[in-house]
Amino acid sequence: MQITLKDIARMAGVAESTVSRALNDKPGVGQETKAKILKLAQKYNYRPNQLARGLAVNKTNMIAVILAEMDSPGNIEIVKNIEKAAEEVDYQIILCNTNNDLKKEKSYLSLLEANQVDGAIFIGGKLVSSQLLRLSFEEKNPMVLVNRLAEENFFTSVLTNYSQGIYKAVEHLFEQGFRKIALICGDKDNLTESEKINGYYQAYTEAGFSVNEDLIFSTGADRTSGYNAFLEIMNRDIIPDAFISTRELTTIGLVEAIKFGGYFIPDDFAVVGYGDNILTSVIDPPLTVLNEPAAELAKLSFDFLLKLIKDKLEGQQIKVLTPELIVRESSIAKYN
Amino acid sequence: MQITLKDIARMAGVAESTVSRALNDKPGVGQETKAKILKLAQKYNYRPNQLARGLAVNKTNMIAVILAEMDSPGNIEIVKNIEKAAEEVDYQIILCNTNNDLKKEKSYLSLLEANQVDGAIFIGGKLVSSQLLRLSFEEKNPMVLVNRLAEENFFTSVLTNYSQGIYKAVEHLFEQGFRKIALICGDKDNLTESEKINGYYQAYTEAGFSVNEDLIFSTGADRTSGYNAFLEIMNRDIIPDAFISTRELTTIGLVEAIKFGGYFIPDDFAVVGYGDNILTSVIDPPLTVLNEPAAELAKLSFDFLLKLIKDKLEGQQIKVLTPELIVRESSIAKYN
């Protein structure tokens, strides 16, 4: 147990307020009493409760980063970049993984409610809950959303333009001569995934091609889902000539399934994956990927948060960034 | 700003203690006053400060997991398993990444000092600092070390027997007929890495072979270090027939360098890597790896911590687990 102000007061035989005045170098305490108190404080290694101090000045120099998916290397990349930005101004981050579970998120919100952190950045995740709304607006807790949507976006946010990203990927595959592009994506009900599907439709429509809905395959976000998606699509009436995978782990599973089937990339199927990270970089052949600008997402979101904490942000800010298409061997037509 | 007990007292025109009694359903408050207070509390959405409450009962149902390296998929695996164990008993974890920086670790220790968490699990990292010692012993903060050593280990710990792991790997390669086994490892000054080097020596000595020190290559823990290690070893007087990489990311870099050099695994060089995770699983050919028992490390460490929190652990506990050697194609001699 840590020694408290109360303990010191008891040992010195004075009131708690006297101890507080002595330790804070305020007038009203006799020389001798002060010396006695300071000696006791030193002897028992007394430190004022940092938490209570945090409450008083409303500053802990800690922020919470609330992460919907720890399995995503892209999210980890954003976290590391937030950490870097925070370090520069002497802030530290504590990381909370919700696994996309709103109940877990709610428990972590107690960190904000109790002022254990000065603010929070949310990375990814489901639609904003009413609790988040309340914490942000009624109680003015500083918070910034990264790649997360609200029904009506009242939050300061940094977003990736997913629709434009997939549009770019489809456009690139069209240029390479591919026309039957399968899209391995998430559920339409998921706002970010429906954005991606929109980008796909838009690219087809603008190019004057019609979309074959059998080529759109909504499935889970894990590796096995990507693997199985390939097998199931191959059983449909239309055989694709290219694949776009809209998430990191499905990309890994998709490539595995193609190779395991004895097919070659890009000879048999072109592939555009998601996320430029150590995982996708290990894949052979070198993979064309859509990549979120992690460093920029991180920097902007932390800067916004810091301004919110310091009461220096005017109104709500929204910044939308475009993913980059990094073209490598996996999407280049061999004989075009 | 959150409404405080003080605010409610002011609005109701009563003492703070009266508000407290009313909210906690204690006697001594008139019916009417109580109704007024409850109404105000509801209207302004008053919640008692959870932090202060945590201080009072010394329970937050949160623990800190203090991680030396967030880049390690093996560490993330341990974290996810701790999370799973914690969830079962309604605990939540907050994750703190120190990047092996003792100064950062020190800041995170304030979470313990201020009782913002009920305890902490440390995964990996440098020798235990004096501050950690003090927090654990003088202040009786519940903490458990995973894969981290102290000069004299007074801490409740769960450890991996690294020496035995590497011993197994060398033994396996000997059985496959390899004799010139290069070891890509960390610095001898690092306690866990020196353990691994010991295992290597022990296996050679017990088999009656002598160690060629040119085959031991100490380098950084990242991917580039693994890549460069291969290039540099190939410039030495002795060409190895097999490689053991003692860390996850150096394994990735090593395999890359071998392939980039136009060599084949295991035909030209056998490889035993480190860590059975999504990263190493993506590598072609399937990689023989040493794997830490993440689920067991996590479960044991959380159980120890929970007992420490509940004052139910007798003395200091140390549990040592053995890594598993998972044999796949990369270490099988083609013509033995």
Side-chain angles (χ1 to χ4, degrees):
Chain A
M1 267 304 287
Q2 198 175 310
I3 194 164
T4 65
L5 194 117
K6 207 169 172 173
D7 298 328
I8 295 186
R10 197 174 30 74
M11 288 186 284
V14 300
E16 287 175 48
S17 56
T18 308
V19 177
S20 171
R21 278 201 300 277
L23 294 176
N24 289 300
D25 213 15
K26 283 187 179 162
V29 190
Q31 281 293 70
E32 209 175 308
T33 312
K34 189 170 174 178
K36 192 170 165 188
I37 290 167
L38 291 180
K39 212 169 155 186
L40 279 167
Q42 196 173 22
K43 180 173 171 193
Y44 293 100
N45 192 24
Y46 171 75
R47 269 155 295 104
N49 188 310
Q50 304 205 13
L51 192 48
R53 190 192 265 169
L55 285 174
V57 301
N58 202 19
K59 275 278 260 152
T60 61
N61 272 36
M62 288 231 182
I63 63 161
V65 176
I66 297 180
L67 197 61
E69 278 175 69
M70 203 164 62
D71 278 335
S72 151
N75 280 354
I76 295 289
E77 210 47 51
I78 297 174
V79 172
K80 288 200 297 196
N81 279 289
I82 291 175
E83 218 166 22
K84 213 189 290 172
E87 238 170 65
E88 281 170 24
V89 289
D90 254 342
Y91 268 76
Q92 281 194 280
I93 70 171
I94 59 183
L95 196 57
C96 308
N97 174 32
T98 69
N99 263 327
N100 262 312
D101 178 347
L102 284 179
K103 225 176 73 201
K104 278 185 123 186
E105 177 172 295
K106 204 170 152 176
S107 314
Y108 285 124
L109 290 178
S110 71
L111 292 168
L112 266 176
E113 290 178 314
N115 296 325
Q116 288 179 351
V117 292
D118 297 345
I121 297 175
F122 295 78
I123 305 178
K126 298 186 177 163
L127 255 188
V128 164
S129 65
S130 58
Q131 198 191 11
L132 255 187
L133 275 168
R134 185 176 55 67
L135 275 174
S136 172
F137 296 104
E138 292 181 21
E139 304 185 3
K140 309 268 175 262
N141 279 296
M143 47 176 78
V144 174
L145 307 186
V146 176
N147 289 343
R148 177 165 177 169
L149 297 168
E151 295 258 27
E152 293 180 76
N153 203 338
F154 296 119
F155 286 87
T156 287
S157 304
V158 189
L159 301 168
T160 302
N161 191 335
Y162 292 113
S163 160
Q164 200 183 344
I166 298 297
Y167 182 95
K168 275 190 192 177
V170 174
E171 193 180 46
H172 160 71
L173 289 168
F174 281 166
E175 281 167 15
Q176 293 294 319
F178 302 106
R179 293 294 178 268
K180 292 179 286 176
I181 305 168
L183 185 73
I184 318 283
C185 56
D187 204 86
K188 272 174 222 132
D189 295 344
N190 176 313
L191 282 184
T192 52
E193 289 302 305
S194 80
E195 277 294 291
K196 295 174 184 174
I197 298 169
N198 287 345
Y200 178 89
Y201 271 93
Q202 201 193 336
Y204 263 85
T205 310
E206 285 186 15
F209 303 132
S210 62
V211 169
N212 182 327
E213 292 196 358
D214 269 356
L215 288 174
I216 299 177
F217 194 88
S218 289
T219 183
D222 59 3
R223 184 176 181 174
T224 312
S225 298
Y227 193 97
N228 292 335
F230 176 75
L231 304 182
E232 296 190 31
I233 284 180
M234 294 299 281
N235 275 329
R236 294 185 173 179
D237 285 338
I238 179 169
I239 301 289
D241 50 20
F243 285 86
I244 297 175
S245 160
T246 66
R247 286 149 308 161
E248 297 161 313
L249 300 185
T250 53
T251 301
I252 307 296
L254 168 70
V255 169
E256 264 177 328
I258 294 175
K259 288 185 179 179
F260 194 76
Y263 299 105
F264 292 95
I265 301 170
D267 310 57
D268 298 309
F269 303 105
V271 171
V272 176
Y274 204 87
D276 193 38
N277 53 57
I278 188 163
L279 245 182
T280 48
S281 77
V282 169
I283 289 176
D284 187 46
L287 216 57
T288 296
V289 288
L290 275 170
N291 192 42
E292 295 174 13
E296 221 181 328
L297 284 167
K299 176 111 191 57
L300 281 168
S301 62
F302 183 75
D303 286 352
F304 281 152
L305 188 68
L306 202 60
K307 282 184 186 152
L308 282 171
I309 290 171
K310 300 192 165 169
D311 254 338
K312 282 187 180 157
L313 198 65
E314 293 289 323
Q316 166 236 28
Q317 303 276 336
I318 295 184
K319 189 93 190 174
V320 181
L321 304 179
T322 308
E324 186 189 5
L325 182 73
I326 304 169
V327 177
R328 302 201 182 97
E329 203 181 315
S330 73
S331 65
I332 301 297
K334 286 273 153 149
Y335 313 100
N336 72 337
Chain B
M1 266 307 284
Q2 198 175 311
I3 193 165
T4 65
L5 194 115
K6 207 169 171 175
D7 298 328
I8 294 185
R10 198 174 29 74
M11 289 186 283
V14 299
E16 286 175 49
S17 55
T18 309
V19 177
S20 171
R21 277 201 300 277
L23 294 177
N24 290 300
D25 212 15
K26 284 187 179 160
V29 190
Q31 281 293 70
E32 208 175 308
T33 311
K34 189 169 174 178
K36 191 170 166 190
I37 289 167
L38 292 180
K39 212 168 154 189
L40 280 166
Q42 196 172 25
K43 180 172 171 194
Y44 292 101
N45 193 22
Y46 170 75
R47 269 156 296 107
N49 189 310
Q50 305 205 11
L51 192 48
R53 190 192 265 169
L55 285 175
V57 300
N58 200 21
K59 276 278 259 149
T60 61
N61 272 35
M62 287 231 184
I63 65 161
V65 175
I66 297 181
L67 197 59
E69 278 175 69
M70 204 164 62
D71 278 335
S72 151
N75 280 353
I76 296 288
E77 210 48 51
I78 297 174
V79 171
K80 287 201 297 197
N81 279 288
I82 291 175
E83 217 166 23
K84 214 189 290 173
E87 238 170 67
E88 282 171 23
V89 288
D90 253 343
Y91 268 74
Q92 280 194 281
I93 71 170
I94 60 183
L95 196 56
C96 308
N97 174 32
T98 69
N99 263 325
N100 263 311
D101 178 346
L102 284 180
K103 225 177 73 200
K104 279 184 125 185
E105 177 172 294
K106 204 170 152 176
S107 316
Y108 285 124
L109 291 179
S110 71
L111 291 168
L112 267 177
E113 292 179 312
N115 296 324
Q116 289 181 350
V117 291
D118 298 344
I121 296 176
F122 295 78
I123 305 178
K126 297 186 178 163
L127 254 188
V128 163
S129 65
S130 58
Q131 198 190 8
L132 254 188
L133 276 169
R134 185 175 56 67
L135 276 175
S136 172
F137 297 104
E138 293 181 22
E139 305 186 3
K140 308 265 176 264
N141 278 295
M143 47 176 78
V144 174
L145 307 187
V146 176
N147 290 341
R148 177 166 178 169
L149 296 168
E151 294 259 25
E152 294 180 74
N153 201 339
F154 297 120
F155 287 88
T156 288
S157 304
V158 189
L159 302 169
T160 302
N161 190 335
Y162 292 114
S163 161
Q164 200 184 343
I166 299 297
Y167 183 95
K168 276 189 191 177
V170 174
E171 194 180 43
H172 160 70
L173 289 168
F174 280 165
E175 281 166 15
Q176 294 293 317
F178 302 108
R179 293 293 178 269
K180 292 180 285 178
I181 305 167
L183 185 74
I184 318 283
C185 55
D187 204 86
K188 273 174 223 134
D189 295 343
N190 177 313
L191 283 184
T192 52
E193 289 303 304
S194 80
E195 277 293 291
K196 294 174 184 175
I197 298 171
N198 286 345
Y200 178 88
Y201 271 93
Q202 202 192 334
Y204 263 84
T205 310
E206 286 186 15
F209 302 133
S210 62
V211 168
N212 182 328
E213 292 197 357
D214 268 357
L215 288 174
I216 299 177
F217 195 88
S218 289
T219 184
D222 58 3
R223 184 176 180 173
T224 311
S225 299
Y227 193 96
N228 291 335
F230 176 75
L231 304 181
E232 295 189 33
I233 284 180
M234 294 298 282
N235 274 328
R236 294 185 173 178
D237 285 340
I238 178 168
I239 301 289
D241 50 20
F243 285 87
I244 297 174
S245 161
T246 67
R247 286 148 310 160
E248 297 160 312
L249 299 185
T250 54
T251 302
I252 307 297
L254 168 70
V255 169
E256 263 177 329
I258 294 175
K259 289 184 178 179
F260 194 77
Y263 300 104
F264 291 96
I265 301 171
D267 310 57
D268 298 308
F269 303 106
V271 172
V272 176
Y274 204 88
D276 193 39
N277 52 57
I278 187 163
L279 246 182
T280 49
S281 78
V282 169
I283 288 177
D284 187 45
L287 217 56
T288 296
V289 287
L290 274 169
N291 192 41
E292 294 174 15
E296 221 181 327
L297 285 166
K299 176 112 191 57
L300 281 169
S301 62
F302 182 76
D303 286 352
F304 281 153
L305 188 68
L306 202 60
K307 282 183 185 151
L308 282 170
I309 290 171
K310 300 193 165 167
D311 254 337
K312 282 188 183 155
L313 198 64
E314 293 289 323
Q316 166 235 26
Q317 302 276 337
I318 295 186
K319 189 94 191 172
V320 181
L321 304 178
T322 308
E324 186 189 5
L325 182 73
I326 303 168
V327 177
R328 301 200 183 97
E329 202 181 313
S330 72
S331 65
I332 302 296
K334 287 272 154 148
Y335 313 100
N336 70 339

